[in-house]
């Protein structure tokens, strides 16, 4: 088996995907890469800026890479502040990876997003194939990315596969500047017995998934029989459709004094309001057996247990540090 390259490997997804790939395929077969000079405790690491075409081609050619999980990107909230950078990293980076994949014959995983939809898309049970007119630069790069992947598949035969991922909740690495980051931050605040100031309105409903399900979905899709894949580079996937108020209520079942205040950030609220409330993931189930294991209750239990183990704060569920005023606002 030829080596696997993970770009953007130090981010929220890469921090868990890289070890999962090493466990599945062998540590020696997985090369992690990202912008900083860094070291990887359990395998190879190379510094790589995906906007540098020659550096991307050099690494893929020199290491005889057979598959790239291309995670390097700028996420939705930061992208709205730096649209020119977002276009450069998200589009030039993807183009450079696809070009190298064409030259050296490798498979590519492309993470699209619920952001590939927009206000004119049906918001509930958003179909696999529907209107895609996003109003954020991040969403524009995701739709353009899906189309570019399609082009490389049909024109050059590059095997590109991808998922339209919802907001991902995880404990191992912090989220990188997206609109769904609130969900992760809420768990961290609860584990530290801190009040959380949520930047979205309490009733903002969005799709979410727990990271172990997302990692399994990425690897399963890349390993799936290509003949069964009708929508290779952009499958809708989701595990739950939830609001900040519902997540807070579930957390409160474990730590009753957890409190949330809502301080709405108009920029991120507008982004969230332009995204679907719930995706239809039937095509992913039919074509390659997508089946998430974690719903809101299981995810909450696991997140709090893992963060509690890290902070040592969940031995006593009612800590004296816990805020008590306004508990239940969320
Ligand atoms: P992240 O922001 O946590 O990590 C992205 C990584 O890319 C960072 O480590 C950053 O250093 C790196 N990077 C940025 N510019 C780079 C460049 N020029 N060259 C190389 N590396 C660069 O993001 P993530 O949450 O891990 O997301 C990974 C991918 O999944 C992205 O394409 C994102 O759009 C997509 N996605 C993520 C989510 C989510 O909820 N996390 C949901 C949908 C889609
Ligand atoms: C973001 O909020 O930008 C990401 C995403 C859903 O693509 N988490």
């Amino acid at each position: 088996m030829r080596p696997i390259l993970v770009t953007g490997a130090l981010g929220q997804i890469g921090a868990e995907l890289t070890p999962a790939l090493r466990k599945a395929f062998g540590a020696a077969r997985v090369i992690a890469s990202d912008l900083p000079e860094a070291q990887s405790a359990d395998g190879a690491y190379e510094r790589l800026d995906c906007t540098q075409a020659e550096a991307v081609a050099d690494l893929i050619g020199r290491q005889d890479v057979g598959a790239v999980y291309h995670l390097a990107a700028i996420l939705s909230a930061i992208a709205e502040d730096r649209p020119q950078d977002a276009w450069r990293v998200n589009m030039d980076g993807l183009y450079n990876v696809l070009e190298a994949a064409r030259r050296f014959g490798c498979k590519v995983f492309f993470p699209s997003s619920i952001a590939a939809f927009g206000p004119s898309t049906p918001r509930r049970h958003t179909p696999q194939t529907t209107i895609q007119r996003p109003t954020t630069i991040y969403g524009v790069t995701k739709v353009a990315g899906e189309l570019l992947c399609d082009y490389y598949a049909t024109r050059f035969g590059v095997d590109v596969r991808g998922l339209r991922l919802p907001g991902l909740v995880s404990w191992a690495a912090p989220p990188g500047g997206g609109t769904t980051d609130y969900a992760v931050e809420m768990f961290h605040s609860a584990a530290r017995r801190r009040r959380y100031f949520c930047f979205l309105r309490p009733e903002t409903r969005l799709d979410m998934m727990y990271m172990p399900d997302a990692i399994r979905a990425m690897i399963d899709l890349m390993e799936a029989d290509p003949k069964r894949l009708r929508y290779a580079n952009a499958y809708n996937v989701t595990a739950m459709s939830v609001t900040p108020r519902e997540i807070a209520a579930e957390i409160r079942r474990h730590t009753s004094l957890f409190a949330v205040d809502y301080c709405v950030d108009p920029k991120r609220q507008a982004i969230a309001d332009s995204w679907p409330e719930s995706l239809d993931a039937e095509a992913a189930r039919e074509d390659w057996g997508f089946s998430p294991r974690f719903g809101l209750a299981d995810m909450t239990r696991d997140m709090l247990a893992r963060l509690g183990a890290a902070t040592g704060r969940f031995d006593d569920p009612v800590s004296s540090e816990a805020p008590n005023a306004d508990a239940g606002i969320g």
Side-chain angles (χ1 to χ4, degrees):
M1 191 188 132
R2 292 161 71 200
I4 295 169
L5 172 67
V6 182
T7 71
L10 301 179
Q12 189 195 2
I13 298 179
E16 298 197 44
L17 178 65
T18 308
L21 289 169
R22 286 181 172 152
K23 194 168 168 209
F25 302 110
R29 294 216 158 89
V30 180
I31 304 158
S33 72
D34 206 308
L35 280 179
E37 295 290 351
Q39 287 184 339
S40 180
D42 56 351
Y45 177 90
E46 294 215 20
R47 184 189 181 279
L48 180 67
D49 179 344
C50 292
T51 63
Q52 303 303 307
E54 279 177 25
V56 172
D58 173 67
L59 175 52
I60 290 177
R62 177 168 41 86
Q63 295 280 7
D64 189 27
V65 167
V68 183
Y69 285 76
H70 178 51
L71 305 181
I74 293 182
L75 275 74
S76 59
I78 295 181
E80 280 315 299
D81 293 336
R82 296 165 38 203
Q84 296 82 3
D85 286 345
W87 180 264
R88 199 173 49 80
V89 173
N90 297 8
M91 293 312 301
D92 292 359
L94 176 63
Y95 174 78
N96 293 339
V97 166
L98 289 171
E99 262 300 289
R102 177 187 67 76
R103 278 177 63 192
F104 297 106
C106 34
K107 261 164 107 165
V108 176
F109 173 79
F110 169 65
S112 187
S113 163
I114 51 174
F117 300 111
S120 51
T121 304
R123 291 202 76 205
R124 296 195 184 137
H125 307 296
T126 303
Q128 173 65 41
T129 304
T130 185
I131 301 163
Q132 290 185 267
R133 304 289 291 179
T135 47
T136 63
I137 187 65
Y138 176 67
V140 169
T141 66
K142 290 303 182 188
V143 178
E146 289 182 9
L147 293 173
L148 194 60
C149 291
D150 272 347
Y151 181 77
Y152 269 75
T154 52
R155 177 79 169 77
F156 300 119
V158 178
D159 185 351
V160 194
R161 307 179 185 196
L163 301 173
R164 291 186 189 128
L165 293 165
L168 299 181
V169 176
S170 68
W171 55 272
T179 303
T180 57
D181 294 12
Y182 86 84
V184 181
E185 293 167 4
M186 214 178 243
F187 286 102
H188 280 271
S189 292
R192 291 185 169 80
R193 294 289 188 270
R194 298 214 176 110
R195 175 185 295 272
Y196 181 62
F197 294 92
C198 184
F199 56 76
L200 295 185
R201 284 195 298 269
E203 71 281 4
T204 309
R205 185 169 293 284
L206 291 169
D207 284 287
M208 297 277 172
M209 184 151 58
Y210 196 30
M211 191 62 86
D213 280 329
I215 300 294
R216 206 160 47 83
M218 291 178 218
I219 297 175
D220 285 354
L221 176 64
M222 286 294 270
E223 295 301 305
D225 177 355
K227 290 197 275 306
R228 298 198 54 192
L229 302 180
R230 288 173 293 163
Y231 309 97
N233 77 51
Y235 275 97
N236 284 4
V237 286
T238 183
M240 62 197 91
S241 166
V242 289
T243 66
R245 196 196 297 282
E246 289 167 357
I247 298 177
E250 191 61 35
I251 291 174
R252 222 171 276 123
R253 285 161 60 92
H254 299 262
T255 175
S256 59
L257 296 182
F258 176 58
V260 180
D261 285 327
Y262 292 91
C263 308
V264 173
D265 166 17
K267 178 187 75 179
R268 285 178 285 187
Q269 186 66 53
I271 296 174
D273 289 343
S274 76
W275 290 354
E277 288 189 354
S278 60
L279 296 190
D280 175 356
E282 204 45 44
R285 280 189 200 98
E286 282 172 13
D287 290 7
W288 48 278
F290 169 67
S291 170
R293 294 178 183 157
F294 289 85
L296 178 59
D298 291 335
M299 177 180 83
T300 302
R301 195 175 310 112
D302 200 62
M303 276 294 284
L304 292 177
R306 289 180 185 276
L307 290 174
T311 61
R313 296 209 182 206
F314 261 79
D315 298 340
D316 168 15
V318 185
S319 153
S320 56
E321 289 174 58
N324 52 18
D326 296 336
I329 278 179

